[in-house]
Amino acid sequence: FMITVKKNDFGKISTILHGSDFIHEKKVYLRLLDISGEFCLPKVITSESRFVFVSAGSGITPVVSMLRHLCRNEYIRHDGIPVAKLIYSVRSVRDIIFEKELSDLSKTGTVNVIIYLSRENELPAHCPKGFAFSLGRITKNVINKEIGDPNQYESIFSCGPGGFTSVVESALPNSKVITESFNF
């Protein structure tokens, strides 16, 4: 299993978990519960299935798990269209969580990755390869532009802060958007 903890310089737990000596010198005990909820891929995926994932910040964590599954099981459509589209919002390039893994997953042809940089005024000179980049926040207009007809997708997933997932849901009022949200 894997957990993802974003470092916050003022956080009580994240500073400990990100401490260089912590992992090697301490025993870590976690209580894990069974998987529950609706935020998971359907049990049956066909060669015609298509999915959209819209995430912000650390909301990428459960999404990456599903993308790994799609790529590991080599779900490739016969028409050459990627099975999954990821629309991911981060403040800046340095805030991309799972950057190398997302790049590797995008190279499989199973997932198309589009990253929105919400706090940049221009694209940095050295953007990571394997992604399409855009500037600005993910808004209703962005969602409608990137997703197009939502009926072409079997499922639309959104994970991020509550306000973010609300924007995704309001942009697609006649679609069932499966959300997982969190607030700090």
Side-chain angles (χ1 to χ4, degrees):
F1 69 91
M2 175 188 299
I3 63 169
T4 303
V5 179
K6 180 178 179 181
K7 183 177 181 185
N8 178 336
D9 291 332
F10 302 104
K12 292 179 181 179
I13 301 300
S14 72
T15 53
I16 293 169
L17 292 175
H18 281 271
S20 60
D21 297 335
F22 180 77
I23 299 298
H24 300 291
E25 295 181 10
K26 308 280 185 193
K27 289 185 178 179
V28 179
Y29 296 96
L30 298 173
R31 181 173 171 236
L32 302 176
L33 302 174
D34 288 336
I35 295 171
S36 64
E38 295 181 21
F39 203 79
C40 55
L41 289 168
K43 293 186 189 311
V44 177
I45 299 173
T46 70
S47 62
E48 298 304 310
S49 297
R50 288 186 73 199
F51 305 96
V52 173
F53 301 91
V54 187
S55 65
S58 60
I60 191 69
T61 305
V63 169
V64 164
S65 176
M66 290 188 270
L67 294 174
R68 282 184 199 130
H69 176 78
L70 291 171
C71 291
R72 185 176 48 244
N73 291 294
E74 299 178 353
Y75 291 107
I76 305 291
R77 287 175 54 104
H78 301 295
D79 55 13
I81 297 172
V83 170
K85 177 182 269 192
L86 169 63
I87 306 163
Y88 180 34
S89 176
V90 292
R91 292 180 181 141
S92 67
V93 169
R94 71 180 170 278
D95 295 311
I96 300 171
I97 301 172
F98 298 113
E99 178 186 323
K100 181 180 180 339
E101 185 167 7
L102 287 172
S103 178
D104 291 345
L105 292 172
S106 72
K107 290 175 188 171
T108 67
T110 302
V111 60
N112 179 21
V113 179
I114 304 155
I115 298 179
Y116 276 79
L117 305 174
S118 65
R119 302 260 173 105
E120 299 283 352
N121 294 324
E122 59 184 43
L123 290 177
H126 301 291
C127 286
K129 302 226 184 294
F131 311 124
F133 283 93
S134 288
L135 299 174
R137 293 187 172 272
I138 294 179
T139 62
K140 286 182 183 182
N141 289 339
V142 166
I143 290 168
N144 289 317
K145 178 188 92 169
E146 295 292 355
I147 293 177
D149 178 9
N151 295 318
Q152 67 183 315
Y153 299 101
E154 183 172 331
S155 300
I156 299 173
F157 297 91
S158 179
C159 187
F164 176 82
T165 58
S166 293
V167 168
V168 177
E169 287 179 301
S170 67
L172 304 165
N174 298 320
S175 302
K176 183 173 186 264
V177 179
I178 303 164
T179 63
E180 187 71 33
S181 61
F182 50 85
N183 293 302
F184 296 105

